[in-house]
Amino acid sequence: NAGVMQNPRHLVRRRGQEARLRCSPMKGHSHVYWYRQLPEEGLKFMVYLQKENIIDESGMPKERFSAEFPKEGPSILRIQQVVRGDSAAYFCASSLGQGGVTGELFFGEGSRLTVL
Amino acid sequence: GENVEQHPSTLSVQEGDSAVIKCTYSDSASNYFPWYKQELGKRPQLIIDIRSNVGEKKDQRIAVTLNKTAKHFSLHITETQPEDSAVYFCAASRAGGYQKVTFGTGTKLQVIP
């Protein structure tokens, strides 16, 4: 059973470009979370999704950022018109959701975005 | 929403000594408290967790305690080893329903050989 798969692992963008980060949850997992981590800092919650539904996007900036988890395919975190402050590691995690006994999260390896 | 505070932010111990990391949470409905370890450049990985119907749980050199009344929980690492050096995150969530997981700010543990 493959773990949570994120790609790309490293992404370099120039200011003003778009960044798309993809996350395929573990098999059987229906909940996906995105967290942002700046160097030497903690995991900041961005968004929590189920298939075709955004459950909680309270941690996501209102502008330039969007996330989706379509019925088919990976979850995508999209950052438009990137700025240097968007440079960070973006971690995706998945969980079983309401079918799970616990809320254990399984993390991907992260996507490291560098904005030049 | 839930707010999780974690202390200390950095901790240095001599190899073989114990390390204790403390967290508090605000949402009395939270019932699941995991601890994650993140090594440099790697992903966070679950090391131990505790549910609200249990006061203490041990797994070899690692133990976690939970005080529901005071809304705080702690991670205890005994006989620390250099490979324990990492950043540790506590977290809180409501397992089984709305499962947003809120993390503490992390503790950077350094074990000095």
Side-chain angles (χ1 to χ4, degrees), chain A:
Chain A
N1 184 8
V4 178
M5 305 299 292
Q6 287 190 248
N7 69 82
R9 294 288 309 281
H10 300 275
L11 182 63
V12 179
R13 285 288 179 265
R14 296 192 180 279
R15 281 179 296 169
Q17 291 184 320
E18 179 180 287
R20 282 192 185 220
L21 310 177
R22 295 174 189 78
C23 170
S24 295
M26 283 183 70
K27 188 176 181 180
H29 284 195
S30 60
H31 288 205
V32 164
Y33 309 75
W34 286 94
Y35 290 86
R36 178 162 68 176
Q37 187 175 41
L38 295 170
E40 303 291 320
E41 293 194 12
L43 295 157
K44 184 175 182 298
F45 169 79
M46 298 184 73
V47 63
Y48 166 27
L49 309 110
Q50 286 179 308
K51 288 278 188 184
E52 301 183 281
N53 260 328
I54 296 175
I55 306 299
D56 185 334
E57 57 182 348
S58 59
M60 205 149 68
K62 293 285 186 276
E63 297 180 355
R64 303 188 298 108
F65 285 73
S66 62
E68 62 176 6
F69 188 16
K71 187 177 180 181
E72 301 291 337
S75 174
I76 296 174
L77 179 67
R78 181 182 177 206
I79 311 172
Q80 295 177 289
Q81 299 173 352
V82 296
V83 300
R84 289 214 174 108
D86 296 333
S87 296
Y90 292 83
F91 284 95
C92 171
S94 71
S95 72
L96 276 170
Q98 293 188 11
V101 175
T102 72
E104 181 179 354
L105 296 184
F106 294 82
F107 281 86
E109 295 287 356
S111 290
R112 282 153 183 81
L113 172 66
T114 301
V115 180
L116 301 177

